[in-house]
Structures are given as structure tokens and as C-alpha cells.
Amino acid sequence: MKKSLFTSIFIAFLGITTLLAGPIDGKWTGKIGDDYALTLNLKAEGDKLTGTIGNNDGDLPINDGKVNGNEFSFVTEYQGNKLPIKGRVEGEKLYLSVDYNGTELTGTFTKQGGSATASAAQQPKAKPEDTEVWNPVPKVVTPGKTPLDAPSDAIILFDGKNLDQWVSVKDKSPAQWTVKNGLLTVNKAVGNIETKRSFKNYQLHIEWKIPEKITLTGQSRGNSGIFLASTGGGDAGYELQVLDSYENKTYSNGQAGSIYKQGMPLANASKKPGEWQVYDVIWTAPTFNADGSVQTPAHVTVIHNGAVVQNNFELKGETVYIGQPQYKKYDAAPIKLQAHGDPSEPISFRNIWVREL
């Protein structure tokens, strides 16, 4: 039977669904199958059932309607075809069965408030408080004194004093980068460092500075990276690029603010070497099915010096230097800072904090 015939037939069924435990009079709404919405206006008088069924195509009467306890039957007619219908009511649900040329079609309907004869003016009116949510109440967080300062619920990863929150990626020994005058400076000789803690979704604040007298060009000019999830040794994971991109030409998806080799920044917001720069990051980690396949991909938003440079960017997998990105299953992961092997002067970091989301 063609879909157009189903539509016509289902409309005809509408007026029949009301009868059961409790008053049958009133309005019922539901669907036949998964596709056809119908509305019924019904009235029971003793063992007789009358009413209409309808949708956007109009209303049809129900004929020979009979009621027996919580069961009912009736006939409706469409274009000369008589359609026998039977059903039952259980609580606030009505279950309908239609015989169309030997094919059974079924549907479930729900009783709506008000009666079939009630006017629109008598229906309950919506109130503002109907859509007000009072519980749960969001937790109270005390903001920092400035946008650069950590809120009260932040985890402080570096406050200028020590590297207690960091370890060497290579062997998980205490991190050996240089802490001096409140700054954290890359020690290229000892390699990457990462947080002791692992994270899933979070907000990250980190400030970094390219040396004022930086030398060299391109990817060899103040190169580093912030791995938003460190999934293994070396440079395994998801990298937000750090680089001197102030009047320093390189490939667009490798400059500051890029998701390395995947997403070029929406703008170049870089400051001159010697000036402090800020990344504020919202990281949504990927999720995986039990077989390791991707359930939801990773997304990231990055604000560089006040400018949005990644807007809920969807990653295709881990960032790689050569080849195409791929996902590999992980749960939670540390945040990693890169000691890049280029020969330029090492960069510095300060004021690093994270809020779990």
C-alpha cells in the first residue's frame, strides 16, 4: 500500500481512540506507525462511541462505534472503503488496530487535558513558572581578580614557584625544566613534561612568551606546543601549536593558534617577541565505543590574546607531523608541554591553571 493511502487511512483512525478506564470523552493524540500524527475528539454515550478523527487534511466521523469495558470497535469510511478498527484503553494510553485489506496497522495514543467540547478559552494557560528550573543550583565559584587570575575552583598547574604538578614524559621522574623569577622555561635537553594528573574535558589558561631576541625563521623560531591530551611518549596526542608567528612566515596550519597540521587559526593574533601571550582553551575530549571506534570526536575552542582562533573545531584524530590523523582509544590523559628540538632560544610559560568541566 502506498504511503499516500496510509496517510488517508491513518487520519480516519484518529477519532477512535478513546475509551477505557476512566472517561473516554476528550482529545487523544498519537501516531499510526512512526510517521502519521493524528488527533481524536471522542464522546462515549453508554455503550456507543461517537466522534471525529482529523489532521491537517480534515476530519472524518466514526461510525458504528461500540464500547465494552476498556475495549472498543468502530468503522470509518474513506473514499468508499470501510475500515474496521478496534482497540483498548489502559490508563492514559489507547492502543489502536486497523484492518486495511488484511493488513494490520497499529498505533498508540495519549489522552490530552480538557474535553472535546471545551473551548480554547477554557484550556489551562501557560505560566512563566512552568519553564523555570530551580534545582539543581549551580555551584558558586569566586572569580579571579582579573580575567588572567584563576577562579576558586581551578587546579593550579604552575604559579611561579615549583613544578610539583609536573613530571618528565620519558620516565615520569620529577620535571627538570627551569623555574626562575616566577617563570617556567623549556629545558630542551631533558625533553617534554606533562601533568601528574589526567583530565577529560576542561578549561585551560596558559601564558607564554617568545624570547625578545629570538633568531631563525619559520618552524625554527620559538617552536613549542601544548598537547591538550598526551596519549603517549614523545609528541603523541593532540597539539595546540606555540610559535613566533609575528611576521614569521610558515604553513598556515602550523602557525601559532593552529591545531597542528589539522586546523589553521581563524586569525593571527600574535604579539611581538618579548611580550606575554595568552591561550584560553575549552577542550572536549573524544569518546570511544568498547571496540575502540569513535563515539564522539574531540572538539576545541581556543582564544589567543582575546581573539577566537579555533571555534569548536572538530579534530580528525591525533596531530601528527607526517601522515593523516587517526584516533586511538584513551580515557583521560595528562596535559603536555613540548620541548621542541629546534635550535632557537627556549620559550617560557607562566600562570597555568585548569578547570575540569
Side-chain angles (χ1 to χ4, degrees):
M1 184 171 60
K2 294 183 179 179
K3 190 172 183 179
S4 59
L5 291 177
F6 275 115
T7 305
S8 302
I9 295 168
F10 300 157
I11 297 170
F13 303 163
L14 275 180
I16 345 173
T17 47
T18 47
L19 237 352
L20 307 95
I24 184 173
D25 294 1
K27 182 178 181 180
W28 299 79
T29 59
K31 291 182 179 180
I32 296 293
D34 296 327
D35 301 321
Y36 305 104
L38 299 174
T39 299
L40 313 174
N41 287 294
L42 302 177
K43 185 173 179 62
E45 296 177 324
D47 61 355
K48 295 182 179 181
L49 177 67
T50 59
T52 62
I53 62 175
N55 64 8
N56 293 335
D57 293 330
D59 294 327
L60 292 173
I62 62 175
N63 302 314
D64 299 327
K66 298 177 182 180
V67 178
N68 182 13
N70 71 328
E71 297 182 348
F72 64 87
S73 63
F74 67 89
V75 176
T76 192
E77 186 171 336
Y78 177 74
Q79 294 184 348
N81 295 317
K82 291 186 177 181
L83 305 173
I85 299 169
K86 61 182 179 179
R88 72 183 190 280
V89 174
E90 296 180 2
E92 292 296 308
K93 297 292 184 181
L94 183 153
Y95 301 95
L96 192 67
S97 173
V98 180
D99 182 357
Y100 182 81
N101 291 336
T103 300
E104 184 183 22
L105 307 172
T106 61
T108 302
F109 293 76
T110 302
K111 193 171 186 179
Q112 305 300 301
S115 68
T117 58
S119 67
Q122 294 174 316
Q123 301 302 314
K125 293 185 178 179
K127 301 176 182 179
E129 53 266 31
D130 292 342
T131 51
E132 295 173 357
V133 177
W134 288 75
N135 287 296
V137 177
K139 67 178 181 180
V140 176
V141 174
T142 304
K145 293 182 179 180
T146 76
L148 301 181
D149 296 325
S152 59
D153 64 342
I155 299 169
I156 307 301
L157 297 178
F158 179 71
D159 61 1
K161 299 177 182 178
N162 56 59
L163 284 172
D164 290 351
Q165 297 294 324
W166 300 83
V167 295
S168 168
V169 171
K170 183 182 301 184
D171 58 10
K172 306 304 185 255
S173 62
Q176 296 298 318
W177 285 13
T178 303
V179 177
K180 185 177 180 180
N181 297 327
L183 308 182
L184 172 60
T185 301
V186 177
N187 182 344
K188 297 187 180 186
V190 301
N192 301 342
I193 64 172
E194 66 184 14
T195 57
K196 291 181 178 179
R197 303 191 194 196
S198 292
F199 302 94
K200 290 185 177 180
N201 306 324
Y202 59 79
Q203 170 191 349
L204 172 69
H205 177 93
I206 185 168
E207 300 172 30
W208 51 277
K209 182 175 71 172
I210 303 294
E212 183 175 3
K213 297 181 179 179
I214 192 74
T215 57
L216 305 177
T217 60
Q219 291 289 307
S220 294
R221 190 174 172 90
N223 199 327
S224 184
I226 301 162
F227 285 79
L228 304 174
S230 174
T231 59
D235 292 341
Y238 304 81
E239 181 185 7
L240 168 60
Q241 176 74 316
V242 173
L243 188 75
D244 176 28
S245 291
Y246 183 84
E247 298 181 353
N248 178 35
K249 188 175 182 179
T250 189
Y251 43 93
S252 296
N253 60 355
Q255 71 178 65
S258 67
I259 302 305
Y260 188 69
K261 291 268 184 105
Q262 284 195 51
M264 60 180 288
L266 299 174
N268 184 346
S270 297
K271 294 183 178 182
K272 295 179 180 179
E275 297 185 21
W276 281 101
Q277 311 203 48
V278 178
Y279 279 158
D280 284 296
V281 181
I282 307 297
W283 172 250
T284 302
T287 60
F288 299 89
N289 298 308
D291 63 0
S293 60
V294 177
Q295 186 175 68
T296 58
H299 288 80
V300 66
T301 295
V302 180
I303 301 174
H304 182 196
N305 296 331
V308 174
V309 294
Q310 300 291 341
N311 184 15
N312 197 32
F313 177 77
E314 181 178 307
L315 282 78
K316 298 177 181 178
E318 298 190 9
T319 52
V320 292
Y321 179 52
I322 299 175
Q324 298 301 314
Q326 294 183 351
Y327 279 103
K328 66 180 180 183
K329 185 179 180 180
Y330 79 94
D331 184 20
I335 298 169
K336 177 165 56 186
L337 300 182
Q338 184 187 48
H340 194 270
D342 70 274
S344 68
E345 294 80 352
I347 75 167
S348 297
F349 296 91
R350 71 178 184 187
N351 194 19
I352 308 173
W353 49 264
V354 63
R355 295 181 65 244
E356 295 180 294
L357 301 178

